[in-house]
Amino acid sequence: MQRIPEPAITTATPAPSTLYSVQYLRAFAAYIVVLYHVSASLGEQTAAARLFSVGAVGVDVFFVLSGFLMALIVSQAREVDGHFLLRRLIRIAPLYYLLTSVLFFIAAVKPELLATDRLDFARLAASFLFIPYPAADGSMTPILSLGWTLNYEMFFYCLIALATQFFGDRKLQVTVLAIIGLVTVGQIWDHGAYWRFYTDPILLEFAAGVIIFHYVYRDRTSAPLAAPLSLLIGGATLIAIKPDFGDGVHRFFSMGLPAVCLTVGAILTLNFKAVWLKKLGDWSYSTYLIHAFIIQLGIIALRQVGMLDTAWLAAICVPATVAASALLYRFYEMPMISELRWLCRLHYKPDEVRAAHARR
């Protein structure tokens, strides 16, 4: 069954010296998927056409960015040690667990408010463990359906951690080869829903991000601006005229490759400093997880006053999502991450704590 695209988010932390272009891409990707879901959610509630299906490509931009940023992070002095996956979990889990629990509670006490599956503790456990779980419609989605993209993120992190244990300095190269191998075998051999999930060609977008870091960003020179600018414009144009080729390998060619072009062009050209755009990028993970709740509230409110259409829904939900994202980031996401990192240091040996501070 074809999977309806949901927004992904890259949750890797940027290098200490902020890459503004990456933050701008995060903001762009986050809000085109917000508009995509405004259109898609309205289409599910009414007969309105999906006017912004192109916004689904935000998933692909985020996955390419995730590959790029993880390559950047693990190439720094910080080791990919036993705490690597813990740091990734601390970055992803707090907000995701909170909103998953909220949705689970609503499903328990007011199931009529949700067009979702029955209450299922096995699915809740799978959601918390970032393991895909078969839903009633055949999709492999957690309780908070947006989280299927986080399942891919965690799988990518696990591949890096595993490659580090056996291949050391060649970990990223081996990770890229492992992804290519998985996808290739997956195209030849179909062995059930879980196998299809973990061999989906969308994984190639992570590999593309790693390649961008190693062969474009790290070895960049003072080449003429025309080439990266052409990639930026070309990628944006291909996204705007994207034909609907569906999922799998077709999606990679119709959406993944344009996302790669856009990412390369943006990283090499968008070097200006815009604080408000950077903030939207900072808040993008909160934007990813909260916007579907806001859209559903917007639909309920507009239906009550008889003004349910795409323009009004977007006019309400986009600024509300910006405000909610800022609040979540400021008062929950960052405080929880800071607290959890502090608690984890209590379990380090004193020399490990000093080393961690020295690497900052």
Side-chain angles (χ1 to χ4, degrees):
M1 179 175 292
Q2 185 180 26
R3 181 174 62 239
I4 297 174
E6 301 281 0
I9 198 73
T10 176
T11 51
T13 309
S17 178
T18 300
L19 292 175
Y20 287 95
S21 57
V22 169
Q23 297 301 86
Y24 305 155
L25 279 171
R26 282 173 163 171
F28 165 76
Y31 282 95
I32 64 171
V33 294
V34 169
L35 292 174
Y36 166 77
H37 277 102
V38 164
S39 178
S41 298
L42 192 63
E44 292 172 359
Q45 300 288 329
T46 69
R50 295 188 178 187
L51 301 177
F52 202 71
S53 61
V54 68
V57 79
V59 175
D60 308 270
V61 173
F62 274 127
F63 280 0
V64 175
L65 277 176
S66 185
F68 172 83
L69 287 169
M70 289 310 301
L72 175 62
I73 288 170
V74 302
S75 70
Q76 304 293 317
R78 184 192 303 175
E79 299 129 0
V80 183
D81 55 15
H83 303 297
F84 169 74
L85 289 177
L86 180 60
R87 287 193 294 266
R88 297 296 94 215
L89 186 64
I90 288 172
R91 181 64 185 92
I92 291 176
L95 186 58
Y96 177 61
Y97 284 0
L98 172 68
L99 295 181
T100 295
S101 300
V102 168
L103 198 60
F104 189 77
F105 177 76
I106 294 172
V109 300
K110 278 284 190 180
E112 66 273 12
L113 296 178
L114 302 174
T116 187
D117 298 345
R118 70 186 189 282
L119 201 65
D120 190 333
F121 284 96
R123 193 176 183 192
L124 177 65
S127 297
F128 281 3
L129 294 171
F130 299 97
I131 298 172
Y133 190 87
D137 63 0
S139 62
M140 300 291 285
T141 55
I143 288 175
L144 184 58
S145 61
L146 311 177
W148 72 265
T149 55
L150 299 183
N151 292 345
Y152 277 121
E153 290 275 356
M154 289 303 296
F155 181 58
F156 176 53
Y157 301 154
C158 287
L159 285 178
I160 292 174
L162 188 62
T164 300
Q165 294 302 309
F166 295 99
F167 299 98
D169 292 341
R170 297 181 181 274
K171 52 188 169 290
L172 288 173
Q173 295 92 323
V174 170
T175 301
V176 168
L177 291 175
I179 288 173
I180 293 172
L182 280 171
V183 171
T184 301
V185 174
Q187 295 304 298
I188 299 170
W189 184 38
D190 188 344
H191 197 61
Y194 285 97
W195 176 255
R196 286 193 295 272
F197 186 90
Y198 286 119
T199 62
D200 194 296
I202 204 168
L203 288 167
L204 294 172
E205 294 167 6
F206 291 109
V210 174
I211 292 169
I212 289 170
F213 170 76
H214 275 285
Y215 298 104
V216 178
Y217 177 78
R218 191 177 63 175
D219 299 330
R220 65 192 183 281
T221 61
S222 56
L225 185 62
L229 189 60
S230 296
L231 284 172
L232 177 64
I233 296 171
T237 302
L238 288 171
I239 288 170
I241 63 174
K242 174 197 74 69
D244 187 9
F245 283 153
D247 281 347
V249 69
H250 302 295
R251 178 189 178 123
F252 176 73
F253 284 108
S254 65
M255 300 169 74
L257 290 183
V260 169
C261 293
L262 182 73
T263 302
V264 171
I267 287 173
L268 296 180
T269 60
L270 302 184
N271 300 314
F272 59 91
K273 181 178 179 180
V275 174
W276 66 276
L277 269 179
K278 177 189 175 296
K279 287 185 178 295
L280 291 179
D282 290 339
W283 305 336
S284 60
Y285 185 51
S286 290
T287 298
Y288 158 59
L289 287 182
I290 198 61
H291 80 273
F293 290 86
I294 292 173
I295 290 171
Q296 292 307 311
L297 290 174
I299 288 173
I300 292 170
L302 289 174
R303 184 183 285 117
Q304 295 298 317
V305 297
M307 298 173 63
L308 187 58
D309 64 37
T310 303
W312 276 111
L313 190 59
I316 289 174
C317 291
V318 171
T321 298
V322 173
S325 301
L327 291 172
L328 277 174
Y329 180 84
R330 173 66 178 83
F331 295 108
Y332 183 81
E333 189 181 344
M334 288 297 101
M336 283 296 295
I337 291 170
S338 297
E339 185 69 17
L340 288 170
R341 285 178 175 167
W342 180 80
L343 287 173
C344 288
R345 289 192 192 105
L346 296 180
H347 301 286
Y348 294 174
K349 297 176 182 177
D351 58 335
E352 289 178 321
V353 175
R354 286 193 293 270
H357 284 287
R359 288 196 297 269
R360 288 184 169 190

